[in-house]
């Protein structure tokens, strides 16, 4: 397959800032977990275990709780690290992701057509390569290579799964548009069916446009509401249409007794029963907890995970009055892996098969800013000497594997732990935690299809099927070539630009923000530089500058290669950018992607003699995308038809004193421009041809809007028929 290296030569996620960049060695991960237990609990439940930290008093030096040793000096040669890997799991979200989707060159193909993948042409006279009148009828299929629950048209779902979806409470998701409506010359309801045809309207309506007020002698001015009366004590008014509304909060709250269905297969949205491995007692009240932020941002453990409902970008706070207060069960990682999921949709007391959570990987942050990857969960400990709470839970991500029958078969957990420090013993302490949950399949339906059949060889999340959906990642990548073949190194999850959600100051760790389709955005930061740093940047050197490209002008008469130097906060590493035209663009088919035009930068920064003015310095990057509508009018698909990247320059003055720093604003903007609807062509097939061909002016002065004839073989017959008809009409008139 293609090398799974990141855009900056490293893997994405925590490892990018830890193992690979620091160059630390790691032990190999253990083999895959053992098979799922088939027997239920054999002992009576015991009280819920407590999760207290190991205490290291100030007078006693702490001892290590890690069973694996790691070198403190980075090796000089390249190292091989065993990274966590899953089968049949989406590569778009989760933990320890690649920067690009890995692929095999053997799977590369090219459809090279206007009609998007997964759609059917409605014009019988057009080929798939040229068809623009197409219909797309499976808009709920948003994961390539995996079955989308309740999406009955998903080719990755088995017949048994589709049958379960149809019988479930939610049924099948919306798959496509309703049947197209053919507009006739007249509609039956618009024709007066009574004879004789007469006007059936009222005299008042007829006079509305004929009469007007010449003089008003009324003593009442204005229009007033009629008193609605009182409904005091009414027992039925709120049950009647006039006393109700289509949507109310009370409609979404449970009422009455809850009847649990008899079926044991999970349905989408079901809560998953959970217990403790160590004590076999109920965990978190009996269901899998995925803490989410409450109104004040603190973690609420009464928020539960739901079957086949992924949880992403979910962060909350743990707050304590002191370090000792916060260093307890809330940050003990063991509490979130000492879990068993009920394999089927059963209650705690009736569950007969439990699936233990298995630790797949642990990323450990230390007080010395080092990181290491292991499969051993270190013990939570309170170090009173250093004033730290070590190995506190920072992140946990569950991956739940589901078999075709709707049962849970495996659950993996990937964790991050690290130290919590307090500035003083009296200050409150808070720590941010992240909780995520992904669902995967135990089978690989995509393996049975050719890569070009459904574009599902790379298991990934789509941003629409086929047209983009607002709010989902914008597909972005770079061209890769191997001999005569070309494919796309697609970024995961899509285009990302510099952006921090918490700070306006430029951060050298380069936090990224995902660009979502249809959402204009502005991002950037304020960089504080000294006089020397200002001079270095203007000379295109120093720690804050980098060279991007080389770019080649697209659509220009002359090919121009250029490699501008830009601030690292405005850099998009790569040289030949492409954007997915549709939300389901397959990286294996380069014809489904559109090349991004990079506007040429012709000027070079120059520093004035006094060193206070830097002319033509790049301070912003602008990304523009042109969006059009294609497909059937009742089911329009959003398609990117144009893309442009431009670096803009300005003159920057250093106005601070020699001993001070100058603030420099660096900005990135993203704009989505919709083509005016007036330019959208509503295509309808031409009407069928009349029975035979006639001259164009035979019905002059009337015009017949018919499709062109398929030949002139009917012309002699037409002439004879016309002459015979004329003779018959003349003879009848004479009689």
């Amino acid at each position: 397959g293609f090398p799974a290296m990141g855009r900056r030569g490293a893997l994405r996620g925590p490892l990018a800032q830890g193992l690979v960049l620091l160059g630390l060695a790691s032990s190999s991960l253990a083999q895959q977990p053992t098979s799922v237990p088939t027997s239920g609990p054999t002992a009576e439940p015991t009280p819920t275990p407590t999760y207290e930290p190991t205490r290291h008093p100030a007078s006693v030096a702490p001892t290590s709780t890690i069973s694996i040793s790691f070198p403190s000096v980075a090796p000089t040669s390249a190292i091989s690290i065993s990274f966590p890997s899953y089968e049949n799991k989406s590569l778009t979200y989760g933990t320890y992701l690649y920067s690009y989707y890995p692929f095999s060159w053997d799977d590369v193909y090219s459809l090279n057509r206007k009609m998007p993948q997964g759609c059917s042409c409605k014009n019988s006279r057009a080929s798939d390569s040229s068809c623009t009148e197409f219909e797309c009828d499976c808009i709920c299929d948003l994961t390539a290579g995996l079955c989308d629950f309740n999406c009955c048209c998903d080719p990755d779902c088995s017949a048994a799964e589709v049958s379960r979806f149809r019988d479930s409470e939610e049924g099948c998701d919306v798959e496509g548009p309703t049947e197209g409506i053919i507009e006739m010359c007249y509609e039956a309801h618009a024709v007066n069916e009574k004879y004789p045809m007469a006007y059936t309207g009222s005299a008042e309506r007829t006079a509305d446009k004929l009469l007007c007020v010449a003089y008003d002698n009324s003593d009442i001015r204005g229009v007033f509401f009629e008193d609605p009366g009182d409904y005091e004590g009414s027992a039925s008014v709120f049950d009647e249409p006039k006393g109700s509304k289509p949507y109310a909060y009370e409609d979404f709250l449970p009422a009455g007794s809850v009847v649990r269905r008899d079926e044991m297969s999970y349905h989408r949205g079901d809560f998953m029963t959970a217990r403790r491995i160590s004590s076999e007692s109920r965990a978190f009240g009996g269901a899998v907890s995925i803490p989410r932020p409450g109104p004040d941002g603190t973690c609420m453990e009464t928020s539960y995970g739901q079957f086949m409902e992924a949880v992403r970008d979910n962060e909350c706070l743990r707050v304590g009055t002191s370090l000792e207060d916060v260093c307890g069960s809330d940050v003990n990682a063991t509490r979130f892996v000492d879990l068993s999921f009920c394999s089927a949709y059963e209650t705690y007391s009736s569950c007969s098969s439990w699936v233990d959570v298995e630790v797949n990987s642990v990323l450990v942050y230390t007080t010395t800013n080092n990181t290491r990857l292991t499969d051993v969960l270190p013990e939570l400990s309170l170090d009173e000497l250093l004033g730290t709470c070590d190995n506190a839970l920072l992140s946990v991500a569950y991956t739940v594997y589901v078999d075709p029958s709707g049962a849970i078969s495996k659950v993996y957990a990937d964790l991050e732990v690290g130290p919590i420090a307090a500035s003083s013993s009296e200050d409150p302490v808070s720590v941010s935690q992240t909780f995520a949950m992904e669902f995967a399949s135990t089978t690989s339906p995509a393996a049975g299809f050719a890569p070009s059949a459904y574009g599902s060889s790379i298991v990934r999340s789509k941003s629409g099927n086929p047209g983009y959906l607002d709010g989902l990642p914008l597909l972005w990548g770079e061209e890769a070539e191997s001999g005569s073949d070309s494919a796309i190194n697609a970024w995961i999850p899509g285009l990302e630009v510099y952006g921090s959600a918490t700070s306006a100051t430029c951060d050298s760790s380069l936090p990224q923000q995902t660009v979502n389709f249809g959402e204009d955005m502005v991002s950037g930061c304020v960089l504080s530089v000294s006089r020397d740093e200002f001079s270095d940047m203007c000379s295109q050197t120093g720690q804050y500058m980098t060279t991007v490209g080389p770019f080649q002008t697209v659509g220009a008469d002359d090919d121009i290669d250029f490699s501008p130097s830009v601030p690292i906060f405005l850099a998009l590493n790569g040289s030949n950018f492409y954007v997915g035209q549709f939300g389901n663009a397959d990286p294996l088919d380069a014809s489904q992607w559109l090349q991004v035009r990079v506007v040429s930068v012709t000027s070079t920064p120059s520093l004035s003699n006094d060193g206070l003015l830097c002319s033509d310095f790049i301070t912003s990057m602008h990304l523009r995308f042109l969006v059009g509508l294609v497909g059937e009018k009742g089911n329009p698909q959003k398609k990117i038809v144009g893309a442009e990247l431009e670096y803009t320059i300005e003159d920057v003055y250093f106005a601070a004193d020699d001993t001070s720093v100058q603030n420099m604003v660096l900005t990135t903007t993203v704009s989505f421009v919709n083509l005016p609807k007036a330019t959208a062509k509503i295509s309808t097939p031409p009407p069928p041809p009349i029975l035979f061909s006639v001259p164009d002016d035979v019905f002059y002065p009337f015009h017949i809007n018919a499709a062109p004839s398929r030949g002139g073989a009917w012309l002699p017959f037409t002439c004879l028929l016309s002459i015979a008809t004329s003779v018959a009409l003349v003879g009848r008139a004479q009689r």
Side-chain angles (χ1 to χ4, degrees):
F2 197 84
M5 293 303 294
R7 295 189 289 276
R8 297 181 178 89
L11 293 173
R12 282 183 77 240
L15 299 182
Q17 300 175 8
L19 293 170
V20 177
L21 293 185
L22 291 175
L24 298 180
S26 170
S27 65
S28 299
L29 293 182
Q31 298 297 320
Q32 290 296 329
T34 57
S35 58
V36 178
T38 56
S39 61
T42 57
E44 291 296 325
T46 57
T48 302
T50 58
Y51 303 93
E52 296 300 329
T54 301
R55 302 180 66 88
H56 297 302
S59 59
V60 180
T63 58
S64 174
T65 59
I66 307 297
S67 59
I68 302 176
S69 61
F70 297 86
S72 58
V73 180
T76 56
S77 59
I79 58 175
S80 176
I81 303 175
S82 298
F83 296 109
S85 61
Y86 302 127
E87 295 292 335
N88 311 322
K89 174 184 178 294
S90 174
L91 300 175
T92 307
Y93 300 101
T95 56
Y96 312 131
L97 300 173
Y98 299 109
S99 284
Y100 305 104
Y101 290 112
F103 64 88
S104 171
W105 283 103
D106 294 336
D107 295 333
V108 172
Y109 63 95
S110 177
L111 295 178
N112 195 23
R113 65 188 190 188
K114 292 185 177 180
M115 183 177 67
Q117 199 166 30
C119 300
S120 57
C121 184
K122 293 299 183 181
N123 188 345
S124 59
R125 291 167 296 174
S127 63
D128 287 350
S129 61
S130 61
C131 182
T132 57
E133 294 89 13
F134 51 81
E135 185 55 271
C136 309
D137 55 4
C138 196
I139 59 178
C140 57
D141 179 11
L142 294 178
T143 310
L146 292 179
C147 175
D148 290 83
F149 259 55
N150 293 84
C151 184
C152 298
C153 60
D154 189 343
D156 293 313
C157 299
S158 65
E161 288 174 314
V162 172
S163 178
R164 275 195 303 108
F165 300 158
R166 296 188 189 280
D167 296 337
S168 67
E169 298 168 355
E170 294 188 6
C172 296
D173 284 342
V174 176
E175 299 177 1
T178 56
E179 291 294 330
I181 299 175
I182 300 176
E183 186 174 344
M184 307 298 291
C185 296
Y186 61 87
E187 300 294 339
H189 68 269
V191 178
N192 191 342
E193 299 176 356
K194 297 181 180 180
Y195 179 83
M197 298 181 70
Y199 180 70
T200 57
S202 64
E204 181 182 358
R205 289 179 57 190
T206 306
D208 280 345
K209 298 181 180 179
L210 301 178
L211 303 179
C212 60
V213 177
Y215 179 75
D216 182 9
N217 60 355
S218 173
D219 60 344
I220 299 177
R221 299 287 180 181
V223 180
F224 302 88
F225 287 104
E226 182 180 352
D227 190 327
D230 294 326
Y231 294 91
E232 184 178 3
S234 174
S236 61
V237 64
F238 290 107
D239 297 325
E240 300 173 2
K242 61 183 175 183
S244 60
K245 58 194 304 184
Y247 302 99
Y249 286 117
E250 61 185 83
D251 298 334
F252 298 92
L253 298 177
S257 60
V258 178
V259 179
R260 189 178 179 91
R261 67 176 185 271
D262 295 331
E263 185 183 1
M264 294 177 59
S265 296
Y266 278 108
H267 290 181
R268 189 176 70 183
D270 288 339
F271 295 120
M272 294 165 286
T273 304
R275 72 175 186 180
R276 296 293 175 191
I277 298 175
S278 57
S279 64
E280 297 184 353
S281 60
R282 285 183 173 89
F284 301 110
V288 177
S289 174
I290 301 293
R292 291 178 173 87
D296 58 352
T298 57
C299 299
M300 297 179 59
E301 293 191 354
T302 53
S303 177
Y304 298 104
Q306 294 175 275
F307 185 74
M308 293 308 297
E309 297 287 353
V311 180
R312 301 162 182 158
D313 300 326
N314 176 44
E315 190 174 0
C316 56
L317 291 174
R318 302 286 191 180
V319 181
T321 56
S322 64
L323 182 64
E324 183 176 357
D325 181 37
V326 78
C327 191
S329 61
D330 287 346
V331 296
N332 195 323
T334 304
R335 194 164 67 98
F336 291 91
V337 294
D338 182 22
L339 294 175
S340 293
F341 288 46
C342 185
S343 175
Y345 180 66
E346 298 179 279
T347 62
Y348 165 77
S349 58
S350 63
C351 181
S352 59
S353 178
W354 295 89
V355 180
D356 293 345
V357 173
E358 304 178 49
V359 176
N360 185 73
S361 68
V362 183
L363 185 65
V364 183
Y365 295 90
T366 66
T367 54
T368 56
N369 295 324
N370 289 336
T371 57
R372 54 180 173 268
L373 185 68
T374 178
D375 59 342
V376 178
L377 183 62
E379 183 181 356
L380 179 71
S381 61
L382 177 62
D383 190 335
E384 298 177 355
L385 178 64
L386 299 178
T388 60
C389 176
D390 296 326
N391 304 319
L393 177 66
L394 304 179
S395 172
V396 59
Y398 299 106
T399 302
V400 182
Y401 278 80
V402 182
D403 65 23
S405 67
I408 296 175
S409 60
K410 289 183 180 181
V411 182
Y412 291 145
D414 295 280
L415 303 100
E416 297 178 27
V417 297
I420 304 173
S423 55
S424 68
S425 59
E426 299 178 355
D427 292 340
V429 180
S430 65
V431 59
S432 176
Q433 293 180 325
T434 301
F435 298 90
M437 178 174 285
E438 292 290 330
F439 292 85
S441 175
T442 58
T443 59
S444 180
F449 302 118
S452 60
Y454 299 106
S456 56
S457 293
I458 299 177
V459 184
R460 68 196 187 282
S461 294
K462 304 177 185 177
S463 293
N465 191 43
Y468 275 101
L469 297 178
D470 291 345
L472 294 182
L474 179 70
L475 304 186
W476 183 271
E478 306 163 40
E479 186 181 31
E481 295 180 330
S482 177
S484 60
D485 294 330
S486 62
I488 299 298
N489 258 349
W491 293 11
I492 300 177
L495 175 60
E496 292 181 324
V497 297
Y498 176 90
S500 172
T502 58
S503 176
T505 303
C506 292
D507 185 351
S508 296
S509 66
L510 302 178
Q512 299 294 300
Q513 189 169 0
T514 302
V515 175
N516 294 324
F517 177 84
E519 298 179 355
D520 290 5
M521 64 174 289
V522 57
S523 178
C525 59
V526 177
L527 180 64
S528 298
V529 295
S530 65
R531 176 76 175 271
D532 292 339
E533 291 171 333
F534 178 80
S535 299
D536 290 341
M537 293 181 68
C538 195
S539 302
Q540 306 178 61
T541 59
Q543 60 176 329
Y544 297 125
M545 298 297 291
T546 186
T547 300
V548 293
F551 300 123
Q552 187 179 67
T553 55
V554 180
D557 294 335
D558 298 325
D559 291 338
I560 302 174
D561 292 337
F562 57 99
S563 300
S565 292
V566 302
I568 58 175
F569 311 101
L570 301 178
L572 284 181
N573 288 346
S575 60
N576 203 0
F577 296 129
Y578 280 75
V579 61
Q581 289 193 281
F582 290 98
N584 66 343
D586 188 355
L588 296 176
D589 182 6
S591 68
Q592 300 181 32
W593 297 70
L594 180 76
Q595 188 171 8
V596 179
R597 175 179 179 267
V598 181
V599 180
S600 176
V601 179
T602 58
S603 57
T604 302
S606 60
L607 190 65
S608 61
N609 294 332
D610 57 5
L612 298 178
L613 172 62
C614 181
S615 303
D616 300 334
F617 184 76
I618 293 177
T619 58
S620 59
M621 177 179 66
H622 306 288
L623 292 154
R624 309 179 187 98
F625 302 96
L626 190 62
V627 181
L629 298 179
V630 296
E632 205 272 327
K633 182 180 179 182
N635 183 29
Q637 305 296 320
K638 294 181 179 179
K639 173 185 179 181
I640 291 182
V641 296
E644 183 178 82
L645 184 155
E646 181 181 12
Y647 286 106
T648 57
I649 60 176
E650 64 176 304
D651 296 340
V652 181
Y653 292 86
F654 191 90
D657 296 333
D658 291 344
T659 57
S660 302
V661 294
Q662 171 77 38
N663 287 337
M664 184 182 299
V665 179
L666 305 173
T667 309
T668 297
T669 66
V670 179
S671 301
F672 292 88
V673 181
N674 295 318
L675 280 174
K677 291 185 178 180
T679 64
K681 177 184 177 183
I682 307 300
S683 299
T684 55
I690 58 178
L691 179 62
F692 47 82
S693 300
V694 296
D696 293 340
D697 58 350
V698 69
F699 294 112
Y700 180 82
F702 303 104
H703 173 68
I704 300 299
N705 181 20
S709 171
R710 291 188 174 89
W714 288 92
L715 186 56
F717 174 77
T718 302
C719 296
L720 291 176
L721 182 61
S722 299
I723 295 173
T725 303
S726 301
V727 171
L729 292 176
V730 171
R732 182 177 180 181
Q734 290 177 347
R735 289 196 301 269

